[in-house]
Amino acid sequence: MQTYEIAVIGGDGIGPDVIAAGKQVLDAAGDVTGSYRLNYTDFPWGCEYYLQHDRMMPADALQTLEQFQAIYLGAVGYPTVPDHVSLWGLLLPIRKAFRQYVNLRPIKLLRGIDGPLRGKGPEEVDFVCVRENTEGEYSGVGGRVHVGTDHEVALQSIVFTRRAVERIIRYAFDYAQSHGRTGVTSITKSNAMQYNMVFWDEVFEQVAQDYPGIATSKYHVDAAAARFVTHPESFDVVVASNLFADILTDLGGALQGSLGLPPSANIDPTRRYPAMFEPVHGSAPDVHGQNIANPLAAIWAGAMLLDFLGEEEAGQLVMDAMEAVTASGEVRTPDLGGAATTQEVTEAVVTTLQNI
Ligand code: GGG
């Protein structure tokens, strides 16, 4: 039996609750398959840590995390700490330092869930977003001058490097090829952004030439947002910059019926550094402490973690159990129209998994 070392950062708000649920399901899948054990080390980092230590995680946190095979993260951010401080104090430094240049976000309507789109079911809503995760609009380059005066200036620069743009687009094509997907759609805004996005388009066209078997399309981000709603079935693999994909995948969560469902994987494809798995959603202070947070996004992120570790059979088992629970429609948290607690949904997934 294989043992994997997993760093766990429950983080803020509902983060610790949904990650506890995810651990319970991943452990149950390990017991059923008998093929692995996950050895968790919990780190109490986040906004509460910040209030005590004036930083979101210790100075040597990255060296600590580097020893692990994967990181399982709940949520980052709480109203007690400014959002840009929490995000730049924990989530973004991990993604950047560990070269997690791929942020993989499946957008798939699970069986039994009524998505918001008329006539669009699980067959139509089933695609994958590949988000550039280390630069672009989140490069962190900028500054403020004349602060507090009436001629104050704020600059936030977008940085696109050929290396990063090419590798994320190539990853999207490779992903399509290896997962039986037939098309890659590029998200741009090159009509208005004549430097970085024209560059993005050029690189997309160059890389596409190496994949003659994959169909290509491109949409400006505003048109893509509309098309996500009107023609979700026209997307297969979508590749986009950091901010564009961040926005579009929240829309994707809505297409899935709730932001309590979509997962995400932050991956360094070279595997030099650990990958990080997290729900797309944040800390949800509005439902925190009520035991009604939907654990499915964290559980789904856990299934992606198992796939990444090579435990695909267990990952599939978790997905099958989760989808059997949504298909039955009996046990659902309030975001999906039910009245079940976080714990009840988690137990339903565990029981289903044990009986598959
Ligand atoms: N699940 C992690 C989390 O808290 N996400 C909320 C968030 O604001 N994420 C920003 C991002 O993914 O770039």
Side-chain angles (χ1 to χ4, degrees), residues 137-324:
E137 304 88 343
Y138 291 15
S139 295
V141 177
R144 288 168 69 167
V145 289
H146 310 307
V147 176
T149 70
D150 60 2
H151 54 286
E152 184 164 358
V153 177
L155 292 174
Q156 188 92 36
S157 298
I158 298 174
V159 177
F160 276 30
T161 62
R162 181 173 291 279
R163 179 168 169 266
V165 172
E166 185 176 333
R167 71 186 176 185
I168 196 65
I169 292 173
R170 195 167 288 287
Y171 184 92
F173 278 97
D174 286 339
Y175 183 92
Q177 242 175 10
S178 59
H179 288 77
R181 301 272 184 177
T182 56
V184 176
T185 301
S186 167
I187 306 299
T188 184
K189 190 62 191 172
S190 49
N191 56 349
M193 302 171 86
Q194 73 273 51
Y195 303 117
N196 68 326
M197 280 298 164
V198 169
F199 173 66
W200 172 281
D201 290 355
E202 286 170 9
V203 176
F204 182 78
E205 276 159 33
Q206 286 159 11
V207 173
Q209 285 172 12
D210 294 338
Y211 301 85
I214 303 286
T216 60
S217 54
K218 106 179 163 187
Y219 293 99
H220 293 307
V221 63
D222 44 343
R227 203 169 168 83
F228 265 36
V229 174
T230 56
H231 298 81
E233 67 281 2
S234 68
F235 296 103
D236 214 356
V237 175
V238 174
V239 63
S241 66
N242 216 329
L243 177 64
F244 287 178
D246 191 16
I247 296 169
L248 287 175
T249 51
D250 263 34
L251 174 55
L255 300 185
Q256 288 171 269
S258 166
L259 209 49
L261 292 170
S264 96
N266 304 273
I267 299 168
D268 161 21
T270 70
R271 295 188 176 239
R272 159 79 179 78
Y273 295 98
M276 178 164 67
F277 301 83
E278 52 170 325
V280 167
H281 66 67
S283 61
D286 53 329
V287 296
H288 173 218
Q290 299 175 48
N291 194 23
I292 54 167
N294 191 336
L296 294 180
I299 294 171
W300 193 340
M304 294 177 88
L305 185 155
L306 292 175
D307 287 346
F308 174 80
L309 293 176
E311 300 291 343
E312 288 96 346
E313 187 197 342
Q316 191 57 52
L317 187 61
V318 171
M319 286 310 297
D320 290 346
M322 225 174 69
E323 205 158 3

Side-chain angles (χ1 to χ4, degrees), residues 12-176:
D12 302 313
I14 63 169
D17 300 343
V18 297
I19 289 300
K23 284 157 87 176
Q24 203 179 321
V25 173
L26 299 191
D27 288 344
D31 290 343
V32 168
T33 59
S35 64
Y36 67 87
R37 206 175 86 81
L38 300 181
N39 200 15
Y40 304 109
T41 305
D42 287 275
F43 295 99
W45 303 336
C47 289
E48 273 184 36
Y49 186 92
Y50 181 89
L51 296 177
Q52 289 163 22
H53 302 274
D54 209 25
R55 52 188 310 142
M56 290 290 287
M57 55 185 185
D60 62 355
L62 295 172
Q63 287 99 301
T64 304
L65 292 173
E66 198 178 338
Q67 314 305 318
F68 291 84
Q69 282 159 293
I71 304 164
Y72 198 23
L73 171 78
V76 182
Y78 214 67
T80 47
V81 178
D83 283 342
H84 66 282
V85 172
S86 53
L87 208 65
W88 278 99
L90 200 154
L91 190 60
L92 299 186
I94 295 174
R95 288 179 182 167
K96 286 169 193 278
F98 291 160
R99 318 278 201 272
Q100 294 167 345
Y101 69 81
V102 176
N103 189 325
L104 206 55
R105 296 185 163 193
I107 295 173
K108 178 174 153 60
L109 185 59
L110 298 180
R111 279 187 296 119
I113 294 187
D114 282 331
L117 304 180
R118 186 168 15 94
K120 309 286 185 190
E123 293 290 308
E124 286 77 24
V125 182
D126 181 6
F127 56 99
V128 177
C129 276
V130 176
R131 170 186 180 185
E132 200 294 313
N133 213 26
T134 55
E135 57 167 47
E137 304 88 343
Y138 291 15
S139 295
V141 177
R144 288 168 69 167
V145 289
H146 310 307
V147 176
T149 70
D150 60 2
H151 54 286
E152 184 164 358
V153 177
L155 292 174
Q156 188 92 36
S157 298
I158 298 174
V159 177
F160 276 30
T161 62
R162 181 173 291 279
R163 179 168 169 266
V165 172
E166 185 176 333
R167 71 186 176 185
I168 196 65
I169 292 173
R170 195 167 288 287
Y171 184 92
F173 278 97
D174 286 339
Y175 183 92

